[in-house]
Amino acid sequence: MSLHVKICGLKTEEMIRAAAAAGADSIGFVFFEKSPRYLTMGEAMKLRRAVPEGVWVVALLVDPDNALLDDLVTYVHPDVIQLHGKESPERVAEIRARTHIPVMKAIAVSGPEDVEGAAAYEPVVDMLLFDAKPPKTMAGALPGGNGLAFDWELIGARKPRKPWMLSGGLTPLNVAEAMRTAGATMVDVSSGVESAPGEKDAALVEAFIRAAKQDADLVKVKE
């Protein structure tokens, strides 16, 4: 079993180095202005140079226009584009064709119908990401990074036909259980390794990666 751990919403060179040293496989840059993890294009350009070779840079976008996409490709050169808005399958296909960069579409989940709906994106994406859908009553909810979990067994009921990542409410304490329940080999965390909104904690990042990768090793031994 090969596990991939993504630490999303990094904002400093120090935290990028800490995450990479702890074993992160990818790090996420957030380009959504309402998020406490938001980066400007200039900030992302500088941070991009601090990412070690072999670690993916994932750019999180929410319903991006073509101008933002063009700037992203020109100045940041991400390895993956993560779409976290209301992009239709047709728009996802356009973005993938325009940028020539692998695309991961985030699917907000609260029930089995949401997991089933991911099938519409499978022909046009390289990867999927399943995150918790915030309730309509949640004030100030973001497209992601709300610290909410969903029923992980929903993924097991319908295995996607494309590589997929599990997100939403994961922490060092529950990531191993989440992986086993959902059958996930790719996990993503943001708020679950923060000391305050947008402020990553290096000890929590290390604990999360260690918990996820140790569990993957145990599963591999059992197999």
Side-chain angles (χ1 to χ4, degrees), residues 117-169:
Y121 290 92
E122 288 179 343
V124 296
V125 299
D126 298 275
M127 291 179 283
L128 295 165
L129 180 143
F130 293 98
D131 197 358
K133 180 184 292 185
K136 295 180 180 180
T137 55
M138 184 176 180
L142 298 170
N146 294 299
L148 301 176
F150 63 94
D151 182 357
W152 301 316
E153 291 185 353
L154 293 173
I155 306 296
R158 182 199 178 277
K159 291 296 184 184
R161 288 186 286 272
K162 285 290 180 72
W164 59 278
M165 191 173 288
L166 181 66
S167 187

Side-chain angles (χ1 to χ4, degrees), residues 14-203:
E14 293 76 13
M15 194 54 62
I16 288 173
R17 287 193 288 268
D25 301 287
S26 63
I27 59 99
F29 291 165
V30 176
F31 296 90
F32 181 62
E33 292 187 10
K34 295 181 180 180
S35 171
R37 305 162 190 100
Y38 170 68
L39 294 175
T40 65
M41 199 65 64
E43 290 169 334
M45 286 174 59
K46 181 180 178 181
L47 291 175
R48 180 68 169 92
R49 294 192 288 269
V51 180
E53 186 177 351
V55 176
W56 293 359
V57 171
V58 181
L60 189 157
L61 308 175
V62 178
D63 299 306
D65 59 22
N66 288 342
L68 176 57
L69 292 169
D70 293 345
D71 285 347
L72 185 73
V73 172
T74 300
Y75 300 114
V76 180
H77 315 291
D79 299 290
V80 179
I81 291 174
Q82 177 178 327
L83 297 173
H84 232 294
K86 297 181 179 179
E87 301 90 359
S88 66
E90 292 76 19
R91 178 56 176 159
V92 172
E94 291 173 1
I95 290 171
R96 191 165 177 259
R98 185 181 187 90
T99 62
H100 303 288
I101 292 173
V103 170
M104 176 165 59
K105 178 69 179 85
I107 307 295
V109 178
S110 63
E113 67 281 0
D114 298 315
V115 179
E116 291 291 335
Y121 290 92
E122 288 179 343
V124 296
V125 299
D126 298 275
M127 291 179 283
L128 295 165
L129 180 143
F130 293 98
D131 197 358
K133 180 184 292 185
K136 295 180 180 180
T137 55
M138 184 176 180
L142 298 170
N146 294 299
L148 301 176
F150 63 94
D151 182 357
W152 301 316
E153 291 185 353
L154 293 173
I155 306 296
R158 182 199 178 277
K159 291 296 184 184
R161 288 186 286 272
K162 285 290 180 72
W164 59 278
M165 191 173 288
L166 181 66
S167 187
L170 299 181
T171 71
L173 297 178
N174 69 12
V175 63
E177 178 188 358
M179 289 164 54
R180 290 191 295 267
T181 302
T185 59
M186 304 176 75
V187 290
D188 172 49
V189 66
S190 186
S191 62
V193 292
E194 291 181 343
S195 56
E199 301 300 324
K200 294 293 185 290
D201 184 302

